[in-house]
């Protein structure tokens, strides 16, 4: 009786890491072509998801930019009773500079203070008659590093500043700083909360879409299992597909976002009372863009890997 | 080639699909598994290709204890087993060539070898002219032959078939039966689960009858 010859393995064209990878990428591309509709649905969902998150980020980044501008107004002023000699001033400056959180130290002499005062009273110079420059104290104006621009940090800073010899009084807009800090904390909390909800919703929608598209191909997964494909062999093309879908979706979303941004910048002047181009409306920094792209890729990859877990039982 | 020792299979605690099955199928044999619907035929086949793990007992295929296999070993067992079903399980958006090629792609064959081998087996099935058609354009008999080509293209040691002729007319049934016989002549052990009496009577092969999860006839070779 004729017997099955032991299966002579022909030359395996797809062996080795490169061969296998090429095979899997080709398979993924073929799968996309053969299941173009479900792929478009997934890419569309990822595009919308990334677009929503990136719009949110764009708004947030601009709000932060505005608040950062405001925070530059946080300034500490230290007054001295006497005019300081240049060596004294140099010592003092170095002492102040040594306090952590100091950004820039500017000396305001009695003359400079008087000049500023006079400018403020423009038109009413008569009031200054008989007053000499001596009446105003000299001071240093200190701007702080952004990390120190909140009320707790400033209080600590001021306490240290008061210990510097020669300083008689320290002033800063205490109330304003407090209100600013409260507002910033609120904004960060709200942003974080809103952002997290948005992110969860988006992950939920995308992973469910991917689950449905993989469900629609569960027969293919079953057949691959039946003919002896390993789990890796079954999953790899799907994961590559997920990565490609994520990259395509994120790329498309970023293109749309850029388009919307420039369209808004050039046309918003017509229907808004201000010109956004002149107001310094910023686009997302490159790190954020890269982050969004990677998020899209991860969405596709993780969405696929979690869905596959359900359907690949081999 | 196939040995089952005191195999029990329950899906839930109450429903027992198989009750203490003992079965031995020597290498190169051809058997029919028969019995009414719900007798446990499909469950038994699924145990053979490790689609299920028995609740109790041992399943030994080609000297390997399937019940003790890890999940990662199962694919390698399945490479020596071809399976066909009543509903063919073909991918509708792939061509006949691509459907059959899956088996060889999994083994890592190169494209040219795959094309040659697939053409060869389709020619044996009389389907070489349909190589680029999609399954939806084929008749039921042709679809089952494509499914058989996919199962047999790597010359498996065992061929399992679950109601393979359930959806076919008489002429196609004979055609399919002949393919089974040919594979058997070439050395493949064949197990066909069916309740098609005519198919069984025409073939003069060993019959194992199941009823309510128990073997009522033909449990051992030579009976």
């Amino acid at each position: 009786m004729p017997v099955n010859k032991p299966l002579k393995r022909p030359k395996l064209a797809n062996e080795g890491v490169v061969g296998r990878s090429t095979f899997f990428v080709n398979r993924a591309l073929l799968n996309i072509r053969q299941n173009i509709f479900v792929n478009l649905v997934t890419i569309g969902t990822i595009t919308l998801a990334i677009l929503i998150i990136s719009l949110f980020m764009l708004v947030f980044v601009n709000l932060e930019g505005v608040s950062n501008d405001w925070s530059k107004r946080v300034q500490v002023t230290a007054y001295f009773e006497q005019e300081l000699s240049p060596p004294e001033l140099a010592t003092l400056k170095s002492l102040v500079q040594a306090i952590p959180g100091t950004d820039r130290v500017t000396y305001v002499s009695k003359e400079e203070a008087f000049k500023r005062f006079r400018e403020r009273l423009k038109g009413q110079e008569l009031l200054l008659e008989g007053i000499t420059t001596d009446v105003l104290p000299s001071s240093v104006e200190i701007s702080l590093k952004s990390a120190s621009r909140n009320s707790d940090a400033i209080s600590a800073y001021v306490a240290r500043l008061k210990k510097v010899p020669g300083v008689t009084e320290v002033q800063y807009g205490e109330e304003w700083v407090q209100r600013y800090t409260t507002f910033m904390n609120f904004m960060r909390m709200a942003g974080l909360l809103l952002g997290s909800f948005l992110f969860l919703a988006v992950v939920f929608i995308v992973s469910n879409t991917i689950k449905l598209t993989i469900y629609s191909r569960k027969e293919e997964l079953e057949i691959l299992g039946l003919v002896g494909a390993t789990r890796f062999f079954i999953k790899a093309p799907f994961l590559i597909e997920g990565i490609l879908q994520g990259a395509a979706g994120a790329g498309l979303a970023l293109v749309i976002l850029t388009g919307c941004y420039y369209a808004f910048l050039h046309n918003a002047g017509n229907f808004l009372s201000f010109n956004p181009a002149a107001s310094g409306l910023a686009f997302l920094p490159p790190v954020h863009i890269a982050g969004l792209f990677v998020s899209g890729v991860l969405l596709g990859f993780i969405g696929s890997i979690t869905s596959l877990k359900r359907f690949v039982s081999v | 080639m196939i040995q089952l020792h005191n195999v029990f299979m329950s899906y839930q605690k109450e429903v027992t699909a198989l009750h203490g099955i003992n079965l031995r199928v020597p290498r190169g044999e051809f058997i029919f598994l028969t019995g009414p619907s719900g007798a446990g035929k499909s469950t038994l086949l699924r145990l053979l290709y490790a689609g299920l793990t028995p609740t109790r007992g041992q399943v030994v295929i080609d000297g390997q204890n399937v019940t003790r296999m890890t999940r990662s070993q199962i694919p390698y067992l399945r490479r020596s087993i071809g399976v066909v079903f009543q509903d063919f399980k073909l991918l509708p958006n792939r061509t006949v060539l691509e459907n059959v090629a899956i088996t060889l792609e999994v083994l890592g064959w190169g494209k040219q070898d795959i094309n040659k081998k697939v053409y060869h087996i389709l020619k044996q099935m009389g389907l070489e002219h349909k190589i680029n058609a999609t399954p939806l354009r084929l008749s039921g008999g042709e679809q089952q032959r494509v499914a058989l080509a996919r199962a047999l293209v790597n010359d498996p040691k065992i061929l399992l078939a679950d109601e393979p002729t359930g959806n076919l007319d008489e002429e196609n049934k004979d055609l399919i039966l002949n393919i089974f016989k040919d594979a058997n002549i070439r050395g493949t052990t064949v197990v066909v689960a069916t309740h098609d009496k005519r198919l069984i009577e025409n073939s003069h092969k060993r019959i194992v009858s199941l009823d309510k999860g128990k073997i009522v006839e033909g449990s051992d070779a030579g009976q």
Side-chain angles (χ1 to χ4, degrees), chain A residues 14-24:
Chain A
N14 297 316
E15 244 166 358
V17 180
V18 178
R20 287 263 103 168
S21 311
T22 319
F23 174 79
F24 287 136

Side-chain angles (χ1 to χ4, degrees), chain A residues 1-5 7-14 20 23 27 30-31 34-35 219-220 222-231 233 312-314, chain B residues 49 71-72 74-76 78-79 81 83 85 89-94 98 102-103 105-111 113 150 154-156 185-188:
Chain A
M1 187 166 72
V3 170
N4 276 352
K5 281 178 277 169
L7 196 63
K8 213 163 85 192
R9 287 198 1 156
K11 190 172 155 278
L12 300 182
N14 297 316
R20 287 263 103 168
F23 174 79
R27 170 83 324 152
L30 184 76
N31 283 345
Q34 285 178 333
N35 301 278
E219 197 154 56
E220 183 181 338
E222 189 192 345
I223 291 165
L224 281 165
L226 279 177
V227 298
T230 57
R231 258 173 295 167
F233 186 93
V312 183
S313 55
V314 187
Chain B
Y49 64 84
R71 235 157 58 120
S72 54
I74 289 172
Y76 300 97
R78 290 190 181 163
R79 290 175 189 186
I81 301 175
V83 193
F85 299 91
K89 292 197 193 297
L90 298 174
L91 296 175
N93 54 356
R94 304 261 176 103
E98 287 166 340
I102 284 183
T103 309
E105 282 170 355
V106 164
L107 298 176
W109 281 39
K111 205 172 173 186
D113 290 319
R150 182 180 67 199
N154 63 337
D155 300 321
I185 287 168
R186 283 199 298 275
T188 298

Side-chain angles (χ1 to χ4, degrees), chain A residues 174-205:
Chain A
E174 197 175 354
E175 205 179 312
W176 189 87
V177 167
Q178 244 166 25
R179 254 189 278 159
Y180 170 76
T181 309
T182 314
F183 170 74
M184 276 313 290
N185 284 342
F186 170 76
M187 206 179 88
R188 286 209 184 102
M189 279 290 286
L192 197 72
L193 212 66
L194 209 70
S196 318
F197 280 136
L198 208 61
F199 185 74
L200 281 180
V202 153
V203 167
F204 182 74
I205 292 168

Side-chain angles (χ1 to χ4, degrees), chain A residues 17-212:
Chain A
V17 180
V18 178
R20 287 263 103 168
S21 311
T22 319
F23 174 79
F24 287 136
V25 170
N26 286 339
R27 170 83 324 152
L29 291 173
L30 184 76
N31 283 345
I32 290 176
R33 271 211 308 278
Q34 285 178 333
N35 301 278
I36 193 77
F37 180 72
V38 285
N39 268 281
L40 287 180
V41 169
T42 310
I43 292 173
T45 313
I46 293 176
T47 304
L48 280 177
I50 298 290
L51 197 59
I52 290 169
I53 289 187
S54 58
L55 275 173
F56 175 79
M57 277 170 97
L58 192 61
V59 171
F60 197 76
V61 160
N62 277 288
L63 279 180
E64 275 229 319
V66 169
S67 75
N68 207 31
D69 282 347
W70 288 349
S71 78
K72 281 181 191 145
R73 281 162 55 185
V74 177
Q75 207 172 50
V76 179
T77 313
Y79 295 98
F80 314 104
E81 213 160 293
Q82 295 162 357
E83 191 80 7
L84 299 176
S85 64
E88 279 174 331
L89 183 65
T91 325
L92 182 106
K93 265 192 172 175
S94 65
L95 278 173
V96 172
Q97 205 79 56
I99 303 174
T102 308
D103 187 20
R104 228 164 0 118
V105 183
T106 321
Y107 177 66
V108 181
S109 66
K110 288 185 177 213
E111 289 78 28
E112 172 69 20
F114 192 75
K115 212 172 100 191
R116 286 190 194 173
F117 191 46
R118 185 194 288 277
E119 264 164 35
R120 239 185 249 179
L121 290 176
K122 226 171 196 170
Q124 292 165 301
E125 282 92 348
L126 275 179
L127 289 170
L128 294 173
E129 231 169 69
I131 295 175
T132 58
T133 54
D134 229 23
V135 79
L136 292 173
S138 59
S139 62
V140 285
E141 289 173 355
I142 305 154
S143 57
L144 300 176
K145 285 183 178 149
S146 59
S148 304
R149 289 179 201 153
N150 61 67
S151 53
D152 287 348
I154 292 182
S155 303
Y157 185 87
V158 167
R160 290 192 68 170
L161 188 62
K162 276 182 176 163
K163 287 183 192 149
V164 174
V167 173
T168 52
E169 203 191 331
V170 177
Q171 267 187 7
Y172 66 101
E174 197 175 354
E175 205 179 312
W176 189 87
V177 167
Q178 244 166 25
R179 254 189 278 159
Y180 170 76
T181 309
T182 314
F183 170 74
M184 276 313 290
N185 284 342
F186 170 76
M187 206 179 88
R188 286 209 184 102
M189 279 290 286
L192 197 72
L193 212 66
L194 209 70
S196 318
F197 280 136
L198 208 61
F199 185 74
L200 281 180
V202 153
V203 167
F204 182 74
I205 292 168
V206 170
S207 70
N208 273 302
T209 310
I210 293 180
K211 209 169 276 171
L212 283 176

